[in-house]
Amino acid sequence: MKTIDRFFILLVALTPWFYSCNPVLYSNVGQNVPMFQNKDELVLNTGYALTTGGPFSDADGVQVQAAYAVTDKLAAMASFYSMKGIEDPDADEWKGRGSYFEAGFGTYGAYSSKKILYEVFGGLGTGSIQNTSLINPGDNIDVKFLKPFIQPSVGFTSKYFEVAFTPRLAYLTYTSNSHHFTDPGQEGLAEAFFTENDNKVVFEPGVTLRGGLPGAKLQLQYVYSTFEPNFEEIETVNNGFFSLSLYLLISNRFK
């Protein structure tokens, strides 16, 4: 009974701190899905990115991706994201910004018709998020995290249209966190949050659509993360990711 009471008190104390103020402690990102067919193909992708989560926590920015088919079976890829909180002067109590970089290596292939493609990448991502209070300028909470992942994809491709599904699996671990609050009691609450929510397996499925010319297509992508803090009422995670970008393929496949 004492454990339940203690949990309830902690939950009530945490809710106004996180939910109304809403610093972001984890943000989902996109997926690099080149869908190669042949050796020496090169993919470049850049455009607009948006993450969504709890009230007043949406952020937007840019994504940059590159991938290269090293052999007829092996490929490498890398991605970078830079995001900043979408400001609402009438509602915001926190402002945030963050960045994320990942790199991976894997294999790819196609069935005989080369219409159905598959690939599997394994890699490591690293990210950081900084939150600063607009109500109490001295208050802040910053995090850094690592995210090893395995990323399989299967898709259909044609000269003018492509679609891919990517059931990505990752392991989220916070490598550091720093925080300062005007109220000393909130320091302990922050530590409790990281203790409860560190080292999590997260499932992050995504869908990628492309349409346009053989070597240049408009890409739409949506990715969702299953990561949820143990305190269900606390909205500190941006689970949804959406991007609109230009996908460039340098290849001889259409000659």
Side-chain angles (χ1 to χ4, degrees), residues 60-79:
D60 65 355
V62 297
Q63 71 169 22
V64 180
Q65 299 176 340
Y68 180 68
V70 181
T71 72
D72 60 355
K73 293 184 180 298
L74 301 177
M77 63 86 161
S79 303

Side-chain angles (χ1 to χ4, degrees), residues 97-224:
R97 58 186 176 88
S99 62
Y100 176 86
F101 173 81
E102 70 180 22
F105 196 74
T107 184
Y108 70 94
Y111 293 99
S112 57
S113 65
K114 290 198 173 181
K115 295 295 184 183
I116 304 299
L117 308 179
Y118 63 87
E119 61 188 27
V120 180
F121 284 99
L124 177 66
T126 177
S128 64
I129 302 174
Q130 298 83 42
N131 300 277
T132 303
S133 174
L134 298 176
I135 305 300
N136 300 303
D139 289 3
N140 66 80
I141 181 166
D142 304 335
V143 299
K144 293 182 179 179
F145 58 87
L146 288 177
K147 192 167 74 169
F149 63 87
I150 182 168
Q151 180 183 296
S153 297
V154 61
F156 168 83
T157 184
S158 67
K159 197 170 184 179
Y160 304 107
F161 175 77
E162 294 182 353
V163 59
F165 173 63
T166 305
R168 176 168 171 159
L169 193 66
Y171 184 79
L172 173 65
T173 179
Y174 288 100
T175 56
S176 70
N177 67 83
S178 62
H179 39 79
H180 175 269
F181 296 98
T182 305
D183 180 359
Q186 291 181 340
E187 294 289 331
L189 299 181
E191 290 298 333
F193 174 86
F194 291 110
T195 300
E196 291 291 329
N197 294 285
D198 199 5
N199 301 316
K200 297 288 186 179
V201 175
V202 292
F203 180 50
E204 297 181 336
V207 176
T208 304
L209 300 173
R210 301 184 186 119
L213 301 175
K217 292 180 173 65
L218 187 67
Q219 175 178 297
L220 297 173
Q221 186 178 81
Y222 178 76
V223 184
Y224 179 78

Side-chain angles (χ1 to χ4, degrees), residues 47-68:
Y48 173 77
L50 171 71
T51 65
T52 60
F56 321 124
S57 67
D58 293 353
D60 65 355
V62 297
Q63 71 169 22
V64 180
Q65 299 176 340
Y68 180 68

